[in-house]
Amino acid sequence: MNIILDPATMLDKDPDARALRKGCASPMISLGLQQEEARTILEYLRERNSVTK
């Protein structure tokens, strides 16, 4: 969830985030989400992922 809430800090501090960034054309921008909003998005994505399997 940290990458959704604060992508700039994650790219600065997390080696896995930096490695993933190399495969993308542009970095994720900060969306200004609150923790509950990010959690709702992640829950939605998990639900969608389980439906498509």
Side-chain angles (χ1 to χ4, degrees), residues 4-50:
I4 293 174
L5 294 172
D6 191 4
T9 300
M10 287 296 293
L11 289 172
D12 286 341
K13 295 183 176 182
D14 188 279
D16 292 330
R18 284 193 301 271
L20 289 170
R21 165 63 180 101
K22 291 179 182 177
C24 300
S26 62
M28 182 172 169
I29 60 168
S30 177
L31 300 173
L33 298 174
Q34 299 298 314
Q35 189 169 353
E36 190 58 37
E37 294 169 315
R39 182 174 287 117
T40 300
I41 291 169
L42 289 174
E43 288 174 6
Y44 170 78
L45 293 173
R46 284 187 194 112
E47 287 176 16
R48 294 294 301 164
N49 188 46
S50 67

